[in-house]
Amino acid sequence: MDSRLDRQFPSVAEIEKAALKRLPRFMADYIYCGMGNGASVQRNLDALAAVKFLPRYALEVETPNLSTDFFGQTWQAPFGMAPVGLGGFAWPAAAEILARSARHFRIPFCASTFALASLERLHDDAGDCAWFQLYRPNKVEVETDIIERAKAAGYSTLMVTVDVPSSMRRAHDIRNGFSIPPQINWFTLREILTHPVWSLNQAGHVLRRGLPRFENFDTYLPPGLNTNDSMQYQSDLTIGNISAEVIRRIRQQWPGTLVVKGVLDPKDALLYQEEGVDSILISNHGGRQLEAAPSALEMLPKIRQAVGPKFPLMVDGGVRSGLDLCRLLASGADFVMIGRPFYYALAAMGNKGANHVVELLIEEMRCVMGQLGCSEIAELPERVMQ
């Protein structure tokens, strides 16, 4: 770990604070805020904070082993990088940087359908650490083609997001005029001018690669659309409920590992499990979809009871430290996905941020497990205070 960076950014909390200062308001709010007044975001944080451990000190403990076998591969740590659409606006080429960092540390990187880079490019960067997240197009021919592209690119894991059935109204984005491309008015111009590090780096990226766009949809756009219309077309293309029938069709086409992301209700979990999915990612979308939704941690034991003790369950939402990772793993999760901290790190530190936050989370996990007297992740549940 870079000692200079560690002194300046010793925690995700410090990284977040620096990132929010460096980002223009429209982008800072996009990453930081949730739906409505943010109650669901806070619920994620509060649920994690409520998990307490009882440490053990009278044990002979070896150096904590974070290595994890999951989906037929061995990972250096039990967490991965969650898919984040528009992440390239936190820092230029964010997805590509994170993909390369994931490959370096041997943890999963999940490429978003709405990344500002193609799924093919991101697989090249992440190699066999690459997973692909699908916002399922509501046109079957487009759905089929994107899945075929993911197969051809070499992805082994497909993660289908199910918790975006309708278009969203996020007050902060409306207030800030956040759009792709950004609306240029006095507010956005002021924010761009008063955040020069972000602005200059974004401008340089545009000069090198052109205006940002959702590259995965380039071949599906009707001819003659202007930029705003094309963005709206792509957004509308992914609206709709993901029924068991849809998952059945995707399961028939996809030969690799199939994950459903965004499940909170045990009844949904059972329906998807019956259609042959390999894992479920319990998630409230980082608090960004339904303000009244429970946290993933609240629903984890109920979904575990529904699907059985051996069915692989992943969780995301609210992770800001290695301690939070330990809390989720101790509560029954087999693997954890993390979103915001990685993009805060890039916004705060630039390209160096990706590696730093991975190293930080790993070191924090080792510290926590050492305090608890745990050599292996499987021992964490024994330390939870009921």
Side-chain angles (χ1 to χ4, degrees), residues 307-380:
V307 300
K310 297 188 180 299
F311 187 76
L313 290 179
M314 293 189 282
V315 178
D316 70 15
V319 173
R320 299 294 185 271
S321 66
L323 172 57
D324 289 339
L325 282 163
C326 289
R327 284 166 160 155
L328 287 171
L329 295 163
S331 300
D334 297 298
F335 209 81
V336 180
M337 299 300 285
I338 305 171
R340 285 180 174 97
F342 290 111
Y343 291 85
Y344 287 145
L346 292 175
M349 291 171 265
N351 296 8
K352 296 179 180 179
N355 288 357
H356 178 68
V357 77
V358 175
E359 291 174 328
L360 173 62
L361 292 169
I362 287 173
E363 286 304 306
E364 287 180 340
M365 279 197 73
R366 287 180 175 145
C367 288
V368 171
M369 290 177 66
Q371 283 289 309
L372 298 180
C374 294
S375 300
E376 302 289 339
I377 293 168
E379 298 168 4
L380 285 170

Side-chain angles (χ1 to χ4, degrees), residues 168-244:
M168 305 309 301
R169 278 183 57 85
R170 298 188 182 107
H172 53 276
D173 290 338
I174 296 169
R175 181 181 60 248
N176 293 334
F178 181 80
S179 64
I180 309 299
Q183 298 176 18
I184 301 301
N185 53 35
W186 168 243
F187 170 77
T188 54
L189 184 60
R190 183 191 67 191
E191 289 295 305
I192 289 169
L193 292 175
T194 55
H195 295 82
V197 174
W198 179 89
S199 302
L200 290 172
N201 277 279
Q202 291 289 354
H205 187 67
V206 168
L207 289 173
R208 291 190 299 273
R209 283 179 44 177
L211 288 173
R213 67 189 194 280
F214 302 131
E215 295 183 12
N216 286 321
F217 289 104
D218 280 353
T219 60
Y220 312 121
L221 294 175
L225 293 183
N226 61 34
T227 301
N228 289 332
D229 289 342
S230 66
M231 291 295 177
Q232 187 61 53
Y233 177 87
Q234 291 165 88
S235 179
D236 292 343
L237 191 60
T238 56
I239 296 302
N241 288 82
I242 312 297
S243 66

Side-chain angles (χ1 to χ4, degrees), residues 84-87 112-117 133 135 214 216-217 234-235 238:
V84 175
L86 306 182
S112 171
T113 301
F114 281 101
L116 302 178
Q133 176 264 350
Y135 277 114
F214 302 131
N216 286 321
F217 289 104
Q234 291 165 88
S235 179
T238 56

Side-chain angles (χ1 to χ4, degrees), residues 34-341:
M35 181 58 71
N37 294 319
S40 189
V41 174
Q42 191 60 48
R43 199 171 292 119
N44 288 342
L45 302 174
D46 291 344
L48 283 166
V51 178
K52 297 187 289 295
F53 288 113
L54 188 63
R56 293 288 308 277
Y57 299 121
L59 303 174
E60 292 289 338
V61 178
E62 298 179 359
T63 301
N65 173 29
L66 304 188
S67 178
T68 301
D69 293 330
F70 195 64
F71 292 166
Q73 291 180 271
T74 299
W75 309 101
Q76 183 176 334
F79 64 87
M81 300 176 180
V84 175
L86 306 182
F89 280 101
W91 190 254
E96 295 97 315
I97 296 166
L98 290 174
R100 292 191 290 270
S101 179
R103 188 174 193 168
H104 173 74
F105 287 101
R106 184 125 200 95
I107 62 172
F109 166 83
C110 193
S112 171
T113 301
F114 281 101
L116 302 178
S118 70
L119 63 90
E120 290 85 0
R121 176 184 297 164
L122 293 177
H123 187 276
D124 287 344
D125 286 330
D128 68 350
C129 295
W131 298 353
F132 180 61
Q133 176 264 350
L134 178 70
Y135 277 114
R136 199 269 310 184
N138 50 38
K139 293 188 176 182
V140 175
E141 65 274 17
V142 179
E143 170 197 301
T144 300
D145 192 64
I146 290 182
I147 293 173
E148 288 302 314
R149 285 172 56 194
K151 286 163 59 175
Y155 288 92
S156 59
T157 297
L158 181 69
M159 182 181 290
V160 183
T161 294
V162 300
D163 59 357
V164 190
S166 59
S167 58
M168 305 309 301
R169 278 183 57 85
R170 298 188 182 107
H172 53 276
D173 290 338
I174 296 169
R175 181 181 60 248
N176 293 334
F178 181 80
S179 64
I180 309 299
Q183 298 176 18
I184 301 301
N185 53 35
W186 168 243
F187 170 77
T188 54
L189 184 60
R190 183 191 67 191
E191 289 295 305
I192 289 169
L193 292 175
T194 55
H195 295 82
V197 174
W198 179 89
S199 302
L200 290 172
N201 277 279
Q202 291 289 354
H205 187 67
V206 168
L207 289 173
R208 291 190 299 273
R209 283 179 44 177
L211 288 173
R213 67 189 194 280
F214 302 131
E215 295 183 12
N216 286 321
F217 289 104
D218 280 353
T219 60
Y220 312 121
L221 294 175
L225 293 183
N226 61 34
T227 301
N228 289 332
D229 289 342
S230 66
M231 291 295 177
Q232 187 61 53
Y233 177 87
Q234 291 165 88
S235 179
D236 292 343
L237 191 60
T238 56
I239 296 302
N241 288 82
I242 312 297
S243 66
E245 181 182 354
V246 171
I247 293 300
R248 187 181 310 134
R249 183 173 65 239
I250 293 173
R251 175 73 285 178
Q252 290 171 351
Q253 184 183 358
W254 183 256
T257 301
L258 181 62
V259 181
V260 170
K261 175 184 182 291
V263 177
L264 290 171
D265 192 306
K267 293 187 289 294
D268 283 347
L270 276 174
L271 284 172
Y272 292 133
Q273 183 186 33
E274 289 168 0
E275 295 303 335
V277 303
D278 299 291
S279 178
I280 286 168
L281 174 53
I282 307 168
S283 171
N284 65 9
H285 212 107
R288 294 172 55 80
Q289 296 303 102
L290 177 65
E291 188 173 17
S295 70
L297 182 53
E298 290 176 78
M299 300 312 298
L300 173 57
K302 298 177 182 179
I303 291 179
R304 171 58 71 200
Q305 184 178 13
V307 300
K310 297 188 180 299
F311 187 76
L313 290 179
M314 293 189 282
V315 178
D316 70 15
V319 173
R320 299 294 185 271
S321 66
L323 172 57
D324 289 339
L325 282 163
C326 289
R327 284 166 160 155
L328 287 171
L329 295 163
S331 300
D334 297 298
F335 209 81
V336 180
M337 299 300 285
I338 305 171
R340 285 180 174 97

